[in-house]
Amino acid sequence: GGSVRGEAARGEYFAFQIGVWAAREPIADVELRFSDLVQSVPRIEDGSPAARTLIPASALTCFNTGGVGWDGAPFNKSVPVEKGHVQALWCGVQVPRDARPGTFMGAVTVSPKGLPETILAVELRVTDELLADAGDGDPSRMTRLRWLDSRLAQDDDIVPPYTPLTIGKSTVG
């Protein structure tokens, strides 16, 4: 039980963990489902309704249960948990660069196979700061986890900002 709370900048890939404890019996598999993260903005003084902005559920992922393989193809994976053990589930959400600062609320449903599911509240406070590199310049943010699902360089094209090699008579540039 409980909730997941955090703070992220606009454009940041925010990483977090959920722990699953197989207290009384082993768990054959764990599935996670994310809701949209919704931000309600108070009514405007003229009485117009509150605006709602969201970070879609598709922007959230759990790296333990699936992702993108080395070949660029999507995959799903079962996550068993032995009795008496705790399994860390690494998750993340890509905060849009144009997200409105404020608090976004949602839920993650943890469904252990054959057992009752648990719904955890998710509360993400988005700051006004904008991170152009998704937070990659600060390793403590754990933002590079999103690289696990990258499709970058799945072809033979040159990845920007790099340029093709040049070969001269006795030099390579």
Side-chain angles (χ1 to χ4, degrees):
S3 61
V4 176
R5 290 191 174 120
E7 179 178 287
R10 295 179 303 126
E12 180 175 350
Y13 186 83
F14 179 74
F16 60 95
Q17 278 187 346
I18 295 172
V20 175
W21 180 31
R24 294 177 206 64
E25 60 187 275
I27 298 172
D29 192 16
V30 177
E31 179 183 306
L32 266 65
R33 292 186 313 277
F34 299 99
S35 75
D36 294 338
L37 301 182
V38 179
Q39 177 192 57
S40 292
V41 179
R43 287 183 190 265
I44 299 176
E45 293 172 4
D46 67 5
S48 59
R52 289 175 48 128
T53 60
L54 64 86
I55 299 172
S58 60
L60 289 103
T61 189
C62 176
F63 296 104
N64 299 72
T65 60
V68 177
W70 64 269
D71 58 357
F75 71 90
N76 292 310
K77 184 179 171 193
S78 69
V79 181
V81 186
E82 293 180 37
K83 179 182 174 182
H85 287 83
V86 175
Q87 174 64 53
L89 300 175
W90 281 95
C91 303
V93 55
Q94 180 61 61
V95 178
R97 294 173 56 86
D98 62 353
R100 183 188 311 232
T103 302
F104 288 78
M105 309 275 296
V108 57
T109 302
V110 181
S111 300
K113 189 173 186 176
L115 296 168
E117 62 187 25
T118 299
I119 300 173
L120 303 172
V122 176
E123 185 178 313
L124 181 62
R125 191 173 88 71
V126 175
T127 67
D128 190 43
E129 180 182 13
L130 175 62
L131 297 179
D133 67 351
D136 295 344
D138 179 359
S140 70
R141 292 181 185 261
M142 305 294 286
T143 62
R144 296 177 187 179
L145 283 173
R146 78 181 191 294
W147 295 358
L148 293 172
D149 283 342
S150 177
R151 287 189 168 89
L152 191 63
Q154 289 295 318
D155 52 28
D156 290 332
D157 294 341
I158 303 296
V159 178
Y162 301 101
T163 58
L165 294 174
T166 58
I167 300 175
K169 196 172 197 175
S170 60
T171 61
V172 176

